Amino acid sequence: MNLEDAKRLDAADPLRSLRDLFTLPEGITYLDGNSLGALPRATPERIQRAVEQEWGQGLIKSWNSAGWIDLPRRLGDRLAPWLGARPGEVLVADSTSINLYKVLHAALQLQQGKRRVVVSERSNFPTDNYIAQSVVRAHGGELILAESPEDIPPLLDEHCAVLMLTHVNYRSGRMHDMALLTRWAHQAGALAVWDLAHSAGAVPIDLLGAAADFAIGCGYKYLNGGPGAPAFVWMHPRHEGQVWQPLTGWLGHASPFSFDSDYQPAPGIQQYQCGTPALLSMTGLDTALDVFDAASKLGGIKALRNKSLALTEAFIGGVEERVPGAAIATPRDAALRGSQVSFALPKGTDGYAVMQALIARGVIGDYRAGNPELLRFGFAPLYNGFADVVTAVNAIADIVATGSWNTPQFTSRSKVT
């Protein structure tokens, strides 16, 4: 595919109008929406209004007059259809790590001490495994890490309390079969906890259909809520009222403004709120969800998924054709592929330096250390197009072929890689 072909495909894209809802810098090809989503055009004005009018003029009255107190539940209701959940089941609050801490504790409590093993993957996003290490230590349990997806089923035995997985692996972009693995976990007597950080807003999710137990995820990747945007948490209704989540803060109380001295949990997902919500961050996420309202009128997640698969397929084909020795780490099978493509370069080529050289040319992806080290490119179907694919492939091929990455400017590592 050449650039002219790509532009023709973009012109015919039924989702093309969604790109206009974002601020994308001139001359930049942004393929890192799986780390930080692009800025919706409406967000700055909406946050400014929250600052100047709701905070500046409304002051504390805005907890009621501007609906601040209901925002965590209202955002959860807006997000629920994109997660395969129902209104009233999702709460936007805190960070992904904190929410994972809550639900892992709750899941182990549901096992009533009879099982204490949490199973996950070694390649899971590190913070998930770090949180799991803390939780199992508190419960006198053990975290067991599978070396590959194929190693997971044998670990679902009579000792397993919780299967904790990220739906789309942050390194490889491989997507698990949520329904199948949840079923296997349940057949073994375990519960299933899913991290949707690299899924929400980009791939189809059906929490209720999969009969998952708990789910968490962040608001700043494909959801475009902005840096530090709040996360979300979901609990299957069958677990309501059976256990307390461990961070029993005042806004998770059944009646927070009665100021009782004893804690009584709110019903349902509301008890998973802990402290005062970060209203300005939530306002950014609220505005970003307007874009998904627009997408729902253009085919919703099915249309986004079809476009995502077409973009990632074109990118994989371009890299394989133009970059000798590149080893694609992302599955070619569409059923196993999220909305990103990762690949390794031949030994002796510094992947970090290649990515810095690429960024200097205006093509932004990211690098992940490890064995192998990977270059990652996230395709956000809301705003990425086929011209982005061709531009990125051309730049990668030229940088690798010419060795222009091999300079101190690019090989010197920054604090954030």
Side-chain angles (χ1 to χ4, degrees):
M1 181 191 304
N2 59 38
L3 191 57
E4 290 305 312
D5 292 334
K7 288 180 178 178
R8 281 193 290 271
L9 287 173
D10 288 338
D13 176 14
L15 301 178
R16 175 62 182 81
S17 61
L18 297 176
R19 183 181 176 97
D20 297 332
L21 301 179
F22 291 88
T23 296
L24 296 165
E26 188 70 28
I28 296 294
T29 298
Y30 190 64
L31 299 177
D32 205 11
N34 53 327
S35 282
L36 175 65
L39 173 67
R41 286 187 183 276
T43 299
E45 186 277 331
R46 177 64 187 90
I47 291 179
Q48 183 179 12
R49 186 165 79 250
V51 171
E52 295 181 351
Q53 297 180 20
E54 296 174 11
W55 178 15
Q57 300 300 314
L59 295 170
I60 201 166
K61 295 180 297 182
S62 288
W63 283 106
N64 290 311
S65 61
W68 285 355
I69 193 65
D70 298 320
L71 198 52
R73 290 293 295 271
R74 186 165 66 83
L75 290 183
D77 287 351
R78 297 188 71 187
L79 188 55
W82 297 89
L83 306 179
R86 293 173 297 211
E89 294 178 354
V90 180
L91 182 77
V92 170
D94 302 314
S95 70
T96 308
S97 298
I98 291 174
N99 286 336
L100 181 59
Y101 181 87
K102 297 172 192 174
V103 301
L104 278 180
H105 263 283
L108 284 171
Q109 288 172 26
L110 284 167
Q111 294 286 12
Q112 300 179 338
K114 299 174 183 176
R115 297 169 178 230
R116 294 187 175 89
V117 171
V118 174
V119 170
S120 191
E121 292 181 286
R122 190 169 301 281
S123 63
N124 199 2
F125 193 72
T127 193
D128 286 22
N129 288 346
Y130 300 162
I131 293 292
Q133 288 171 10
S134 171
V135 173
V136 297
R137 186 162 56 245
H139 284 264
E142 181 183 7
L143 173 65
I144 297 179
L145 300 177
E147 299 298 331
S148 71
E150 292 72 27
D151 294 331
I152 293 172
L155 299 176
L156 302 177
D157 58 19
E158 69 276 12
H159 304 292
C160 179
V162 179
L163 173 64
M164 178 193 74
L165 293 173
T166 299
H167 186 213
V168 174
N169 186 280
Y170 86 104
R171 279 180 57 82
S172 68
R174 175 172 175 153
M175 184 166 66
H176 286 295
D177 186 329
M178 181 187 292
L180 179 63
L181 283 164
T182 298
R183 184 166 69 251
W184 286 350
H186 289 171
Q187 288 171 351
L191 301 175
V193 172
W194 290 94
D195 182 341
L196 308 177
H198 290 84
S199 305
V203 303
I205 302 167
D206 188 3
L207 290 171
L208 287 169
D213 295 287
F214 297 91
I216 50 93
C218 73
Y220 54 81
K221 299 183 190 298
Y222 292 112
L223 294 178
N224 310 300
F232 59 86
V233 57
W234 172 85
M235 171 188 68
H236 197 287
R238 65 174 171 265
H239 299 311
E240 181 175 347
Q242 296 189 46
V243 294
W244 289 10
Q245 67 99 348
L247 302 179
T248 50
W250 76 303
L251 286 182
H253 192 282
S255 181
F257 290 95
S258 65
F259 299 105
D260 291 337
S261 59
D262 293 322
Y263 180 77
Q264 292 297 325
I269 198 64
Q270 182 61 43
Q271 75 160 273
Y272 283 79
Q273 189 167 348
C274 182
T276 305
L279 268 301
L280 297 182
S281 294
M282 287 201 170
T283 297
L285 179 57
D286 191 22
T287 309
L289 293 178
D290 291 343
V291 178
F292 286 89
D293 290 344
S296 68
K297 299 174 183 177
L298 298 174
I301 193 62
K302 182 177 180 180
L304 293 177
R305 177 61 170 164
N306 288 340
K307 182 179 177 183
S308 165
L309 290 175
L311 292 171
T312 52
E313 184 70 27
F315 185 75
I316 290 171
V319 169
E320 289 182 329
E321 179 182 350
R322 301 285 308 283
V323 185
I328 305 295
T330 304
R332 293 297 299 259
D333 183 347
L336 299 177
R337 187 165 74 243
S339 199
Q340 73 179 61
V341 176
S342 303
F343 64 88
L345 291 168
K347 187 175 181 180
T349 303
D350 185 340
Y352 174 83
V354 169
M355 183 55 71
Q356 300 316 300
L358 194 61
I359 292 171
R361 290 201 188 189
V363 178
I364 301 178
D366 70 16
Y367 161 87
R368 288 294 177 259
N371 185 22
E373 58 180 16
L374 295 174
L375 277 67
R376 294 194 320 170
F377 299 86
F379 291 86
L382 290 170
Y383 53 80
N384 285 132
F386 291 95
D388 296 329
V389 171
V390 174
T391 300
V393 169
N394 288 344
I396 297 166
D398 184 68
I399 289 167
V400 172
T402 62
S404 60
W405 56 268
N406 195 13
T407 69
Q409 174 188 359
F410 301 133
T411 57
S412 178
R413 301 206 174 194
S414 300
K415 186 174 182 179
V416 176
T417 61

